[in-house]
Amino acid sequence: MFNLNTLVLKAQSFIDPHASPSSNSSDSLSSKAALFRLQFRLPDSQNPLREITAELSFAPPSATRSHAPGHDQKPRSHDRSASYVGKLHLSESYLCFSTQPTSFHSTATIQASTAFNGQTHGAGPAGNGFTLPLVAIRRVERLQTQNALFALSITTSNGFASPVGPSPANSVQKLTVQLAGSRQACEGFCDGLKRGLRDATKDASNLKTIVAQCYSEHLLSEKIQKVAEHADLVPRQPPDGGLGFLFRYPGDAKKLRDKSKMRLWAEYMRENGRNLTLVRHPTFTRLFRVGLPNRLRGELWELTSGSLFLRLQKPSLYTDTLSKFDGRESLAIDEIEKDLNRSLPEYAGFQSQEGIGRLRRVLTAYSWMNEEVGYCQAMNIVVAAIL
């Protein structure tokens, strides 16, 4: 009997021999790892080590925050604690949770599982949940529960230190994860998590560097800065917000309702984490559809694409590349110089040496990182739009 699927798989094996299905267990594991990284947007160095069914619950900080006298005592609808059932995954450097059923079973192959199973409800392949670098986890505690179930309280690095006194307890992000599995499976997962947390301490300096470059840190620390100003302390300066920060962003800010979008995202991040510790739930997707504020656009693009996790691995890769190849010439650099002044010339930022210099540095660094491509026409337009 003619089997169309067999014919398709045979054709794909000729097109991409590396992606062909195999009964070999190592090939199956490789495919599983590739799908795992794709689902959570993780670097190529990450592999699925442990997986267990779990229930994630967390209460927004405002749900536990006391109300000032004279204010309405009724809690807001989004102050209620959220709870999701899904899969908890552990890799070498990340703890991931997703409400979506996994499509990378032990026998999965690229051909048999090119798409993720189940409805995403607009939440994307990773669904509702989180992708936490282990280095961003400050503390993990086992909670006392009924029926001898394993429950973990996870405290992340998401919190602000008060410049004039101790930080309030409700400024710290806490997640509760209840593991559903045999005692052996739960203990194995916890042992793996313990080892991962211990190994992740070496990346603490990388975390500090990346977080300092995220605009969400500056956005949510405005109240802390006001306190610092009254205490005669030096307030934190905002990170680089791109050329738009210096030469204004394209478009009419009023028509784009940029301030309203910024308030919505600030509220979401205040209650659900920010940058590397952000927790996704349905509101996250709805806010994306409403639109991104200009000053958070780059950070959120990096987060959802996974490039922020790549930068966490090597935060100085860009500057190190420029330093390593400083003064060297190549055909790609000659072509870059020809196109610099043709890049969105109507925008004020690229009529200045500041904008041209940034464009030159990004294109030059990429040409050295990917020498096989180097530079091709129109890459300057793409980079200019991102800058």
Side-chain angles (χ1 to χ4, degrees), residues 102-180:
T102 60
S103 59
F104 42 88
H105 302 297
S106 57
T107 58
T109 64
I110 295 294
Q111 287 79 8
S113 190
T114 55
F116 297 102
N117 299 326
Q119 294 293 322
T120 64
H121 301 292
N128 300 314
F130 57 73
T131 304
L132 284 179
L134 295 181
V135 68
I137 297 177
R138 183 177 297 172
R139 183 184 299 116
V140 177
E141 300 173 291
R142 183 175 175 182
L143 302 177
Q144 296 293 333
T145 59
Q146 298 177 350
N147 303 325
L149 294 175
F150 276 74
L152 305 177
S153 174
I154 301 174
T155 303
T156 72
S157 58
N158 182 10
F160 293 110
S162 173
V164 292
S167 301
N170 56 26
S171 68
V172 179
Q173 181 186 31
K174 286 191 176 182
L175 310 172
T176 302
V177 179
Q178 185 167 292
L179 308 182

Side-chain angles (χ1 to χ4, degrees), residues 12-39:
Q12 288 180 338
S13 67
F14 285 110
I15 297 173
D16 187 1
H18 298 287
S20 60
S22 172
S23 59
N24 186 283
S25 59
S26 62
D27 292 342
S28 297
L29 180 60
S30 176
S31 300
K32 178 178 178 179
L35 290 167
F36 170 73
R37 291 190 291 267
L38 177 62
Q39 181 170 16

Side-chain angles (χ1 to χ4, degrees), residues 163-212:
V164 292
S167 301
N170 56 26
S171 68
V172 179
Q173 181 186 31
K174 286 191 176 182
L175 310 172
T176 302
V177 179
Q178 185 167 292
L179 308 182
S182 66
R183 184 177 185 85
Q184 182 180 4
C186 293
E187 288 181 346
F189 192 95
C190 292
D191 289 342
L193 177 59
K194 186 187 300 182
R195 289 192 296 270
L197 290 171
R198 190 184 302 117
D199 294 339
T201 55
K202 65 181 184 299
D203 297 325
S205 60
N206 291 359
L207 176 69
K208 186 176 181 180
T209 300
I210 296 301
V211 166

Side-chain angles (χ1 to χ4, degrees), residues 71-140:
H71 285 70
D72 186 7
Q73 297 295 321
K74 296 180 180 179
R76 294 172 293 177
S77 59
H78 59 269
D79 285 345
R80 302 171 185 171
S81 60
S83 180
Y84 301 102
V85 176
K87 289 287 187 179
L88 189 65
H89 308 270
L90 179 67
S91 70
E92 291 86 348
S93 304
Y94 290 85
L95 182 67
C96 309
F97 179 86
S98 172
T99 56
Q100 302 305 333
T102 60
S103 59
F104 42 88
H105 302 297
S106 57
T107 58
T109 64
I110 295 294
Q111 287 79 8
S113 190
T114 55
F116 297 102
N117 299 326
Q119 294 293 322
T120 64
H121 301 292
N128 300 314
F130 57 73
T131 304
L132 284 179
L134 295 181
V135 68
I137 297 177
R138 183 177 297 172
R139 183 184 299 116
V140 177

